[in-house]
Each structure stands twice: as C-alpha cells, then as structure tokens.
Amino acid sequence: MLQLSRRLLLGASSNIMFWSGLVGAAVFRRNIIVMLLCTELVMLACNLNFLYAAAYLNDMTGVIMSITITTIAACETAIGLALCVTYFHMRSSSDVEALNFLKAAKE
Amino acid sequence: MLIYNIISLSAFLSIMVSYTGNVFMSLIYAVLLFVNATLLLLTLGFEFLALINILVYVGALAVLFLFVIMLLEVPTAELRSYYRGYSVLALIGFSAFSLRFFGLFNKFTGYSSNYYITSLTHTNESISNIGYAFYVNYADLLILNSLVLTIALLGALVLAHTSKPQ
C-alpha cells in the first residue's frame, strides 16, 4: 500500500483496537479471563501496526517483528492462563480484586 | 470501500469485547476480531501472515481461552440465552460478514494453467521472503523465538505439574 492517507486510516483503526484493549484490561477489569483477552487485543493492534508500516515502507523488518510479536503474545497468554488455572485451583474463586498480594497491608 | 467496512467492524468489535457482560460473548467478539485482522491482512497482500494469524490466534489462543473458561467455571452473567427473535438480523449480519471475502480477489482473470495462485492478489511478502529473512538476516531472532517458545512450554508444564493436588 503506497498511500499515506490509507496508512494513517489503518493506523487509526489499530489505535482504536489498542486503546479498547488497554482500557478494557486496566479500567474495566471484569474478570481475569477478559483481562487476558484484552491484552491479546493490545498485542494484535501492535502487530497490525507493524504490518501497516511494513506495507507502507516496503520493508521486511515489520513482517519479522510481527511474527516475533505473535510468538511472544501466544507464549504470554499460555503462561498467563496456566497461572490462572494454578491460582484458581488453590483459591476456588475468580475475583480479580482479591489478587492483591503485592499490595502493602493497610495499617 | 472494503477497507472502510473492515475497519469500522474492527472498531465495533474491539469495543464490544469489554462491553459485553458475558465471558463467552467476549471470546466470540475476540475471535471475530481475529478473523477481521486476517481480512485486513489479505487486503494488504500479506497472505502468509493472514493464515498464520488465523492458525495461531483463533486455532490456538481462542481455543485455549475456551478450555480455561470451561475449566475454571468463571461466573458469567446471562449464561442461558433464550431466543429473542434476532434470527433475520443474524442472517443478514452473517452474510454481510462472509461476503467480505468476495471483494478481495478483484484481479481474477480466469482459470488457466499459465497463472500461478499468486496472481490472484498482489503480494507484499511471501513465504520464501520470510524464510530467507529469518534464516539469513534475522537468524538470531529465530533462535530467540524458539527459545521463548520452549521456555513457555516448559513453564506451562511446570505450572500444571505443581498445581496437581499431592
């Protein structure tokens, strides 16, 4: 794709996807599964952004970066879900607000 | 024209992922978003990456999410869905979504043995280019990616082993 206007429009679409995923994970923490799903959305938006740049600049680096990002996102989601399974086997509850072990105890 | 439809659909789906009250609907919207990203990549000419997206995101990650949701029994609102009379709208939406695939191959000139499959859409990348880049120019990235995958696999195995009640 050679037109800058098309590239900017696609960049805006990946921007919407990125911010929807980020706000959904950080602000609307509905439960842990949806938080991980929104993180996947963030990764997908960055992936698509790299590919738009690769199509605009006719460079292979963006494609290589996109494959790397896909790999990392898949690994991170697998580890995150394994952690969820481990945690809920011990806790038997899926409340996200109860995941506060790193927070200092209130005096 | 097709690009505008796909982009607006991606904006709508990405907002609906966190707006829906049901976890399964969030997953379904995410799967539709992944398919949407595949369509976007097909319009750009990244056919290998489009297939890889479908394989990895839908085939592995969405299925993994589904299994974990079923295992953990995540509390969902509106789990039991009753028939609300949206079948006509669903049919229209489904046909509109699936008809997007027909706008991609505009350079189709007919069945002939002289044409290769790559002449259907314009190509910005191909498997040979990616293979050459990964094995010659970015060989260290390939080995690092495989190391990350190995570590993720071993980590998942360790976590599954330690969570078993002894």
Side-chain angles (χ1 to χ4, degrees), chain B residues 67-85:
Chain B
F67 271 104
V68 170
I69 289 175
M70 288 193 301
L71 266 175
L72 296 185
E73 299 173 7
V74 178
T76 60
E78 304 178 5
L79 189 52
R80 181 186 298 273
S81 69
Y82 52 93
Y83 178 69
R84 293 193 191 102

Side-chain angles (χ1 to χ4, degrees), chain B residues 136-150:
Chain B
V136 173
N137 298 325
Y138 300 99
D140 48 350
L141 270 182
L142 182 70
I143 295 179
L144 283 176
N145 281 349
S146 54
L147 274 176
V148 168
L149 278 167
T150 310

Side-chain angles (χ1 to χ4, degrees), chain B residues 100-122:
Chain B
R100 293 179 198 288
F101 284 95
F102 290 100
L104 292 171
F105 306 111
N106 286 328
K107 282 167 58 177
F108 186 61
T109 51
Y111 298 102
S112 168
S113 61
N114 292 332
Y115 296 144
Y116 297 105
I117 195 70
T118 53
S119 69
L120 285 178
T121 58
H122 66 285

Side-chain angles (χ1 to χ4, degrees), chain A residues 14-15 17-18 40-50:
Chain A
S14 68
N15 207 7
M17 279 170 55
F18 176 83
E40 278 305 305
L41 245 179
V42 166
M43 299 281 191
L44 181 71
C46 297
N47 216 353
L48 290 177
N49 215 355
F50 268 108

Side-chain angles (χ1 to χ4, degrees), chain A residues 1 6 9-10 13 16-17 20 24 28 30-31 33-34 36-38 40-41 43-44 47-48 51-52 54-55 58 60-61 63-64 66-68 70-75 77-79 81-86 88-89 94, chain B residues 3-4 7 10-11 14-15 17-23 26-27 30 33-34 37 40-41 44 46 48-49 53 56-57 61 64-65 68-69 72 74-75 124-125 129-130 133-134 138 141 145 148-149 152 155-156 159 163:
Chain A
M1 164 190 57
R6 179 64 60 89
L9 176 68
L10 287 169
S13 87
I16 292 178
M17 279 170 55
S20 313
F28 306 132
R30 289 223 333 270
N31 47 27
I33 304 293
V34 176
L36 282 171
L37 210 51
C38 292
E40 278 305 305
L41 245 179
M43 299 281 191
L44 181 71
N47 216 353
L48 290 177
L51 287 171
Y52 302 151
N58 281 327
M60 205 55 177
T61 313
V63 178
I64 301 293
S66 163
I67 292 179
T68 306
T70 305
T71 306
I72 303 292
C75 295
T77 301
I79 294 290
L81 287 169
L83 279 171
C84 286
V85 167
T86 311
F88 292 132
H89 273 164
S94 64
Chain B
I3 284 265
Y4 302 130
I7 287 174
S10 81
S14 58
I15 292 176
V17 165
S18 36
Y19 186 73
T20 322
N22 202 353
V23 183
S26 287
L27 187 59
L33 197 60
F34 296 148
L40 261 176
L41 292 179
L44 284 180
F46 293 114
F48 172 68
L49 275 171
N53 261 3
V56 171
Y57 277 114
L61 287 176
L64 190 60
F65 270 111
V68 170
I69 289 175
L72 296 185
V74 178
N124 270 331
E125 52 91 48
N129 290 342
I130 289 183
F134 255 129
Y138 300 99
L141 270 182
N145 281 349
V148 168
L149 278 167
L159 283 170
S163 77

